[in-house]
């Protein structure tokens, strides 16, 4: 299988199963397109008729091009066969997921009132609550007990707004550190915050203890303030941007700014570049998760605009890199040298199997987007998993098990998409969120183009 596309002046041919990327001229691009469907001589004749007026194209050149393509095919770099599928299926059939991460909902409460919030302004359509230390401690003990031989364990402090329960966050980190040597584990903590309560103490603690920090900002002031308002109905941009700038200036470790784009800011590239100009270099921008009847929901008509924005962003990033002011965009981080990871394709995002969300009262859910939906309650941190059949269903949320992924050219770069998005789009966590798939494939195309452009500059 091959995937061909043209972007930013490049003719790109991806050999799907080998992962080889070829930059070719337009003649070779057309010949590759017809190589397996049209016999040699008719194809050469058709290309002579199309390009015959060019001095550099004649029958001999086209014959040589055919032979080069044939040599690449013989070398397994073009039209290669799918050697992964049987290995994938066998590995998947034998795989037994082991818990490695928890999303601790330390606060089902928030000091913002974001209109598009999937968590219903932080309380997840339920009661407002803060996690006690005892519940959090039991959750960490549960993670240790069910993590098997895994050494690195991940805990994300989440909400609502986790800084509203800051003392418990600190106490739980301190407790986890006391358990590392006892159980031969290493905890890596992440904090996701809207920034209103960021101060020097939080910054210092995060530099010492947090492996990563996620800062929520949607971009330009008018975009951010339209939907991310405080409880008094006022925008939060002018409060949090200076706090984020001070935090990032002092940050010793990973961070990224995470934004959300909606129907109201389809020109989201402007927001990403705005955030870069504010001094933030590690950036992510996610499509809104919303019911279709919401005014900010993305529509089919929006899709071509979004594609254009992803392409524009890739070009702008290449330009900024050439000017010595590079930025990182989370969705363009692609490793063409190491190749796709088999484990990731089997495990998907890990929700419901390797990753669980814990409510303030200790109830377990597959991930934060399913919290407080009784159909997806999996147990609690005292009894453990009481619905193993639900975990088995989530285990099949990946590109190996999903028949819609079987012939997708991007399957080796994908973990199968978001189970929650699939559920909301199709009514089944093992279904497909086609809108998200198309955005993902566009991002992969852009990321491959950027790698090709960077390789040419080296």
């Amino acid at each position: 299988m091959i995937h061909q596309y043209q972007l930013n002046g490049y003719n790109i041919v991806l050999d799907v199963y080998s992962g080889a990327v070829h930059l070719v001229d337009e003649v070779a691009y057309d010949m590759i397109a017809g190589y397996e469907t049209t016999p040699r001589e008719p194809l050469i004749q058709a290309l002579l008729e199309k390009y015959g007026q060019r001095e550099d194209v004649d029958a001999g050149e086209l014959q040589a091009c055919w032979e080069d393509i044939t040599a690449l095919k013989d070398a397994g770099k073009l039209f290669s066969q799918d050697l992964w599928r049987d290995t994938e299926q066998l590995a998947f059939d034998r795989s037994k997921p082991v818990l490695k991460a928890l999303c601790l909902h330390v606060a089902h409460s928030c000091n913002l009132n974001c209109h598009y919030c999937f968590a219903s302004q932080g309380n997840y359509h339920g009661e407002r609550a803060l996690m006690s230390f005892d519940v959090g401690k039991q959750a960490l003990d549960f993670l240790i007990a069910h993590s098997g031989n895994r050494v690195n364990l991940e805990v994300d402090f989440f909400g609502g707004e986790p800084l509203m329960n800051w003392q418990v966050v600190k106490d739980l980190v301190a407790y986890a550190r006391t358990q590392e040597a006892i159980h031969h584990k290493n905890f890596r903590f992440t904090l996701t915050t809207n920034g209103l309560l960021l101060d020097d103490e939080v910054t210092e603690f995060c530099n010492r203890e947090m492996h990563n920090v996620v800062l929520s900002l949607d971009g330009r002031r008018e975009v951010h303030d339209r939907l991310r308002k405080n409880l008094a109905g006022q925008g939060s941009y002018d409060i949090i941007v200076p706090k984020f700038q001070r935090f990032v200036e002092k940050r010793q470790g990973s961070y990224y700014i995470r934004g959300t784009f909606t129907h109201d800011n389809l020109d989201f590239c402007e927001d990403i570049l705005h955030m870069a100009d504010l001094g933030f270099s590690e950036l992510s921008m996610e499509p809104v998760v919303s019911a279709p009847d919401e005014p900010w929901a993305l529509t089919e008509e929006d899709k071509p605009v979004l594609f254009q924005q992803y392409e524009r962003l890739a070009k702008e990033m290449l330009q900024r890199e050439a000017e010595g002011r590079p930025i990182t965009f989370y969705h363009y981080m692609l490793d063409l040298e190491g190749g796709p990871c088999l484990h990731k394709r089997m495990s998907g995002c890990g929700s419901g199997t390797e990753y669980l969300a814990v409510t303030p009262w200790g109830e377990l859910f597959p991930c934060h987007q399913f919290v407080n939906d009784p159909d997806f309650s999996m147990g609690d941190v005292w009894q453990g998993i009481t619905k193993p059949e639900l975990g088995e269903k989530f285990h099949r949320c990946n590109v190996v098990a999903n028949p819609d992924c079987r012939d997708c050219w991007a399957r080796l770069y994908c973990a199968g998409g978001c189970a929650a998005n699939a559920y909301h789009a199709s009514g089944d966590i093992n279904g497909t969120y086609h809108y998200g798939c198309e955005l993902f494939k566009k991002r992969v195309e852009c990321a491959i183009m950027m790698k090709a452009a960077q390789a040419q500059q080296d």
Side-chain angles (χ1 to χ4, degrees), residues 382-394:
W382 294 276
Q383 300 178 75
I385 301 295
T386 56
K387 293 183 180 178
E389 69 280 3
L390 194 53
E392 286 298 317
K393 190 170 178 62
F394 273 89

Side-chain angles (χ1 to χ4, degrees), residues 26 28 87 92 96 124 138 164 175 225 269 294 324 367 427 431 444:
E26 57 187 345
T87 302
F92 176 69
K96 295 181 179 180
Y124 292 81
Q138 181 63 33
M164 295 180 71
Y175 173 72
D225 283 351
C269 181
E294 298 288 0
C367 84
V444 172

Side-chain angles (χ1 to χ4, degrees), residues 5-12 21 23 310-318 332 334 336 442-457:
Y5 65 101
Q6 296 170 310
L7 180 56
N8 197 24
Y10 295 102
N11 301 308
I12 300 172
V21 177
L23 299 184
Y310 281 124
E311 292 183 7
R312 182 190 166 205
L313 175 61
K315 296 173 187 177
E316 291 279 356
M317 288 177 63
L318 287 171
Y332 289 170
L334 188 66
L336 293 180
K442 172 53 68 175
R443 294 193 294 259
V444 172
E445 286 186 341
C446 291
I448 290 175
M449 182 278 290
M450 291 182 65
K451 290 288 188 181
Q454 290 161 345
Q456 283 205 332
Q457 295 169 2

Side-chain angles (χ1 to χ4, degrees), residues 30-210:
D30 285 348
M31 182 169 282
I32 290 170
Y35 182 86
E36 289 208 312
T37 58
T38 307
R40 176 173 180 166
E41 293 309 322
L43 179 57
I44 289 175
Q45 184 58 41
L47 294 178
L48 270 177
E49 293 174 4
K50 182 175 181 178
Y51 296 105
Q53 73 280 8
R54 286 175 35 175
E55 293 183 359
D56 61 332
V57 178
D58 57 28
E61 291 294 331
L62 293 174
Q63 293 281 0
C65 183
W66 177 281
E67 291 168 3
D68 288 342
I69 294 170
T70 301
L72 286 170
K73 179 179 180 179
D74 292 343
K77 296 181 180 180
L78 259 183
F79 305 107
S80 62
Q81 300 301 306
D82 183 3
L83 303 178
W84 292 97
R85 202 176 306 272
D86 291 343
T87 302
E88 281 181 333
Q89 192 61 52
L90 181 62
F92 176 69
D93 291 342
R94 294 179 176 179
S95 63
K96 295 181 179 180
V98 176
L99 187 63
K100 69 173 183 180
L102 291 181
C103 181
L104 291 187
H105 289 223
V106 292
H108 272 196
S109 185
C110 193
N111 45 13
L112 284 183
N113 188 30
C114 304
H115 295 341
Y116 58 50
C117 181
F118 74 92
S120 184
Q121 288 68 51
N123 64 7
Y124 292 81
H125 306 280
E127 297 294 325
R128 294 189 179 277
L130 299 180
M131 180 179 286
S132 69
F133 171 75
D134 288 340
V135 170
K137 175 179 176 294
Q138 181 63 33
L140 295 177
D141 290 341
F142 171 81
L143 174 58
I144 292 170
H146 292 83
S147 60
N149 293 326
R150 290 187 183 275
V151 174
N152 292 320
L153 304 180
E154 301 167 12
V155 174
D156 184 7
F157 293 107
F158 202 71
E161 174 49 49
L163 293 186
M164 295 180 71
N165 199 7
W166 179 233
Q167 187 59 51
V168 166
V169 170
K170 293 189 292 183
D171 292 345
L172 290 175
V173 169
Y175 173 72
R177 296 300 183 213
T178 68
Q179 300 302 299
E180 289 178 316
I182 297 172
H183 299 284
H184 307 290
K185 304 293 183 182
N186 175 51
F187 279 93
R188 296 192 293 197
F189 295 104
T190 296
L191 177 75
T192 300
T193 178
N194 63 34
L196 288 181
L197 298 176
L198 270 183
D199 57 21
D200 289 341
E201 185 216 347
V202 173
T203 300
E204 180 182 351
F205 185 87
C206 288
N207 282 342
R208 187 171 65 250
E209 299 289 1
M210 295 294 164

